[in-house]
């Protein structure tokens, strides 16, 4: 179902994105070792990744690093090792075929079709080396980290160093990193820092953009048609205007209309309700860290777009803040993708969140 509110896995359920899918497959075909899949929240990064991994013949392993981090409050090497191995456990073929290689990795034990990290000796690098050897036989192995910016919380495990080593030496592995907090991802990878392990490494970036208004309308029409639900052109137009090409919101709008049989206004209300709960869960950490974030987001959503005006609003609400502290807070919001900076003006990237922020 085109409107299903979960990340897609099958090509038939993925609307458009043919160009991006082809680009991804060609990069893997050329043996590229580092691919970044970038784009704001809800533009379909996880969906594209799932479909690409399903379509390609290569063995692949995927970890959702954001989910892992929220589950374990850490992404140390044992946690990531465990996730890599459990992602493999589900795929009998990799476990069976790679068994002889995995058996040699210290701290890993294999039983039946399950593999586990069992001792402190475990090293991610050794695991990758084993997969690389398996890849020599099985063809290029794809290792995907969804929301890879969370790898920065590795503590003693420096994943940028691990990645650099693997990219330089393990020719049968390709890494795919997705990131919605693009600034944070690049802060972690530090391609431009001569002191950093990944300095100057080649990476193929694929950026997902919003759908154009025409494409958004086509997406809605096609989805409603598929479910045999009649919706007027006028309403489609209004939905496109309010949801602005963000496929996650378009899909949710369609899903609500189709499954609950509600009209336009109610469906938009539901999308806003969902957005509110997303804001509460995603941004609560940020707001706990500094209450100023909340006020800055509110200011920008109300239309204050210049650095000075946003700062004045913040000062009015919460008192004095010095320039560099304020700039750092604003910059963090840009790095997280919630705020966009264009021609010296700031604005909220997502129109649905903008409406929610106005009520903060
Ligand atoms: N090309 C597409 N065709 C149809 N539905 C899509 C498409 N891309 C995304 N969706 C839908 O939009 C929603 C968000 O997609 P997805 O989770 O893949 O995005 P994301 O960029 O990974 O988001 P997040 O940043 O929240 O992880 C899901 O409900 C998914 O089914
Ligand atoms: Mg995702």
């Amino acid at each position: 179902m085109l409107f299903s509110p979960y990340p897609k896995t099958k090509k038939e359920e993925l609307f458009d994105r043919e160009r991006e899918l082809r680009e991804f497959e060609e990069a893997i075909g050329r043996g590229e070792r580092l691919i970044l899949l970038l784009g704001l929240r809800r533009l379909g990064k996880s969906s594209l990744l799932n479909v690409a991994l399903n379509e390609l013949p290569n063995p692949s392993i995927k970890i959702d690093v954001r989910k892992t981090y929220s589950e374990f409050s850490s992404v140390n090497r044992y946690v990531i090792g465990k996730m890599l191995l459990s992602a493999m456990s589900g795929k009998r073929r990799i476990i069976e075929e790679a068994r002889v290689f995995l058996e040699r990795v210290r701290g890993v034990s294999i039983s039946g079709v399950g593999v586990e990290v069992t001792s402190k000796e475990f090293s991610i690098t050794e695991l990758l080396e084993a997969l690389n050897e398996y890849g020599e036989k099985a063809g290029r192995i794809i290792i995907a980290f969804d929301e890879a910016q969370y790898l920065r919380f590795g503590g003693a495990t420096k994943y940028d160093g691990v990645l650099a080593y693997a990219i330089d030496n393990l020719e049968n592995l390709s890494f795919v990193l997705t990131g919605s907090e693009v600034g944070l991802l690049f802060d972690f990878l530090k391609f431009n820092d001569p002191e950093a392990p990944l300095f100057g490494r080649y990476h193929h970036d694929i950026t997902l953009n919003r759908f154009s208004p025409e494409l958004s309308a086509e997406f809605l029409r096609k989805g409603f048609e598929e479910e045999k639900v009649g919706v007027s052109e006028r309403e489609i137009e209004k939905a496109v205007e309010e949801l602005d090409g963000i496929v996650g919101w378009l899909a949710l709008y369609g899903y609500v209309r189709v499954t609950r049989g509600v009209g336009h206004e109610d469906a938009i209300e539901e999308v806003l309700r969902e957005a509110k709960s997303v804001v509460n869960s995603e941004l609560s950490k940020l707001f706990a860290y500094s209450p100023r974030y909340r006020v800055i987001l509110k200011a920008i959503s109300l239309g204050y777009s210049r650095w000075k005006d946003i700062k004045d609003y913040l000062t009015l609400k919460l008192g004095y803040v010095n320039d560099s502290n304020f700039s750092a807070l604003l910059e963090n919001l840009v790095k997280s993708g919630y705020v966009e900076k264009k021609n010296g003006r700031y604005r909220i990237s997502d129109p649905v969140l903008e409406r929610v922020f106005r009520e903060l």
Side-chain angles (χ1 to χ4, degrees):
M1 176 187 192
L2 213 50
F3 288 155
S4 121
Y6 310 105
K8 304 294 192 286
T9 54
K10 297 193 196 79
K11 198 173 178 181
E12 312 84 78
E13 307 169 317
L14 196 72
F15 179 78
D16 194 62
R17 303 298 190 209
E18 278 113 21
R19 187 180 55 75
E20 291 87 348
L21 198 58
R22 198 171 340 110
E23 191 175 338
F24 187 106
E25 293 177 354
E26 285 172 1
I28 294 290
R30 278 194 297 272
E32 291 188 9
R33 301 189 194 174
L34 182 58
I35 298 172
L36 308 185
L37 202 54
L38 308 170
L40 289 182
R41 302 295 306 260
R42 287 166 282 274
L43 285 185
K45 299 172 297 299
S46 301
S47 297
L48 184 72
L49 177 62
N50 293 343
V51 172
L53 296 183
N54 255 342
E55 288 289 308
L56 284 162
N58 309 57
S60 63
I61 304 168
K62 186 190 88 169
I63 307 188
D64 184 337
V65 192
R66 178 168 63 199
K67 196 166 137 254
T68 304
Y69 180 68
S70 69
E71 198 173 328
F72 296 91
S73 303
S74 164
V75 290
N76 66 39
R77 70 181 199 275
Y78 305 110
V79 170
I80 292 296
K82 180 182 153 78
M83 298 312 286
L84 280 168
L85 293 171
S86 66
M88 270 185 252
S89 305
K91 298 192 173 183
R92 234 194 129 88
R93 183 163 80 97
I94 298 195
I95 287 294
E96 278 167 8
E97 292 180 0
R99 192 179 193 105
V100 285
F101 305 105
L102 293 171
E103 271 167 356
R104 288 188 225 142
V105 181
R106 280 176 299 163
V108 166
S109 76
I110 308 181
S111 60
V113 289
V115 257
E116 267 181 281
V117 177
T118 45
S119 94
K120 287 234 178 284
E121 289 178 317
F122 172 74
S123 126
I124 289 274
T125 310
E126 270 184 38
L127 174 60
L128 296 178
E129 284 168 346
L131 287 171
N132 185 58
E133 282 180 52
Y134 164 54
E136 205 157 298
K137 213 179 80 183
R140 177 162 296 283
I141 317 280
I142 307 174
I143 302 176
F145 293 102
D146 202 359
E147 301 295 349
Q149 68 276 9
Y150 284 86
L151 289 175
R152 72 190 187 282
F153 299 123
T157 315
K158 303 291 179 223
Y159 291 104
D160 54 345
V162 172
L163 278 171
Y165 167 77
I167 288 163
D168 290 349
N169 299 288
L170 307 178
E171 58 187 353
N172 303 311
L173 303 183
S174 284
F175 291 87
V176 182
L177 312 183
T178 85
S180 51
E181 301 174 294
V182 178
L184 294 178
L185 181 62
F186 279 94
D187 272 4
F188 159 63
L189 297 169
K190 298 202 236 5
F191 293 120
N192 298 319
D193 175 356
E195 308 288 316
L198 283 164
F199 175 67
R201 292 304 186 288
Y202 176 74
H203 48 101
H204 186 132
D205 297 0
I206 300 175
T207 302
L208 292 190
N209 293 310
R210 290 161 215 245
F211 287 157
S212 66
E214 296 73 34
L215 212 55
S216 302
E218 201 184 311
F219 172 73
L220 289 176
R221 267 182 231 119
K222 192 167 169 201
F224 286 125
E225 217 174 271
E226 186 187 81
E227 301 303 317
K228 303 194 171 42
V229 172
V231 167
S232 75
E233 269 306 302
R234 174 83 199 95
E235 286 182 342
I236 286 187
E237 228 172 78
K238 278 203 287 188
V240 168
E241 210 171 284
E242 291 182 68
L243 306 174
D244 196 24
I246 296 174
V247 59
W249 296 139
L250 294 166
L252 181 62
Y253 169 87
Y255 186 75
V256 170
R257 288 205 68 164
V258 165
T259 56
R260 300 200 206 149
V262 297
H264 174 78
E265 302 298 336
D266 288 338
I268 292 283
E269 273 310 307
E270 187 53 38
V271 169
L272 284 172
R273 226 191 326 271
E274 170 68 21
K276 257 180 225 161
S277 83
V278 164
V279 166
N280 287 334
S281 65
E282 278 178 13
L283 292 170
S284 59
K285 273 207 188 94
L286 205 62
F287 293 167
Y289 184 72
S290 167
R292 286 176 175 144
Y293 283 122
R294 187 190 291 269
V295 178
I296 295 174
L297 288 171
K298 175 153 184 153
I300 302 173
S301 68
L302 289 172
Y304 297 94
S305 65
R306 291 196 182 86
W307 186 94
K308 175 87 175 57
D309 297 336
I310 303 165
K311 181 166 179 277
D312 286 347
Y313 183 92
L314 179 62
T315 309
L316 185 76
K317 295 288 175 191
L318 294 183
Y320 176 78
V321 51
N322 81 36
D323 285 2
S324 69
N325 281 353
F326 171 68
S327 287
L329 295 172
L330 193 56
E331 193 49 34
N332 283 342
L333 290 171
V334 174
K335 283 181 182 169
S336 318
Y338 290 103
V339 172
E340 269 172 354
K341 185 181 180 187
K342 242 190 217 149
N343 309 321
R345 300 279 192 137
Y346 296 88
R347 58 174 222 118
I348 306 293
S349 332
D350 177 327
V352 176
L353 294 187
E354 183 176 35
R355 281 174 70 172
V356 173
F357 292 154
R358 260 182 239 149
E359 285 158 33
L360 282 176

